[in-house]
Amino acid sequence: QVQLVESGGGLVQAGGSLRLSCAASGRTFSSYAMGWFRQAPGKEREFVAAITRGGGTTDYADSVKGRFTMSRDNAKNTVYLQMNSLKPEDTAVYYCAAKATTGSTSYYVSAQRYHYWGQGTQVTVSS
């Protein structure tokens, strides 16, 4: 089992940057593929980014490609989401998620595939 705690959210002006962190408990963090999702008020939770357990492969939603970068540091049990050129439409609660996997090249874009979720961190982008 793994517990996830997000941090780094806040209020930023359009065009600005934020870096979200997600710290995981447990000794087997490197066995988990990780994902970032977000949910804006009145909308469904949507995929943002995903990364394989070793960090060698990432995938992004079209809406954030070229602006967001997901990475991980398995020695620190942490994943990151660097968000640049933020837009008001990026405003949402951001969640990290973990899925145990034996596949070194596996990553997941569907929220239903993930077993564990953090509590979320609010990101607000003002225009």
Side-chain angles (χ1 to χ4, degrees):
Q1 190 170 355
V2 62
Q3 293 183 325
L4 306 172
V5 179
E6 302 97 334
S7 61
L11 174 64
V12 64
Q13 289 188 333
S17 298
L18 283 174
R19 188 175 83 154
L20 305 183
S21 298
C22 173
S25 64
R27 297 178 295 174
T28 59
F29 179 68
S30 60
S31 298
Y32 292 85
M34 302 294 294
W36 283 99
F37 292 78
R38 66 186 182 186
Q39 187 167 19
K43 295 187 177 181
E44 293 187 353
R45 190 170 298 190
E46 65 174 2
F47 169 73
V48 175
I51 194 167
T52 52
R53 61 181 194 175
T57 301
T58 53
D59 192 26
Y60 300 92
D62 288 343
S63 59
V64 306
K65 278 182 181 176
R67 299 189 298 122
F68 290 12
T69 302
M70 185 175 185
S71 61
R72 67 189 295 163
D73 185 338
N74 285 346
K76 295 183 178 179
N77 282 14
T78 303
V79 293
Y80 304 97
L81 186 67
Q82 178 67 44
M83 306 186 296
N84 298 329
S85 302
L86 282 161
K87 304 175 181 180
E89 51 263 45
D90 294 319
T91 294
V93 177
Y94 283 71
Y95 300 89
C96 70
K99 174 179 166 48
T101 179
T102 57
S104 61
T105 59
S106 299
Y107 62 89
Y108 307 92
V109 302
S110 170
Q112 285 72 26
R113 302 296 301 274
Y114 287 88
H115 302 136
Y116 304 103
W117 292 83
Q119 83 290 346
T121 186
Q122 177 71 46
V123 172
T124 302
V125 184
S126 63
S127 57

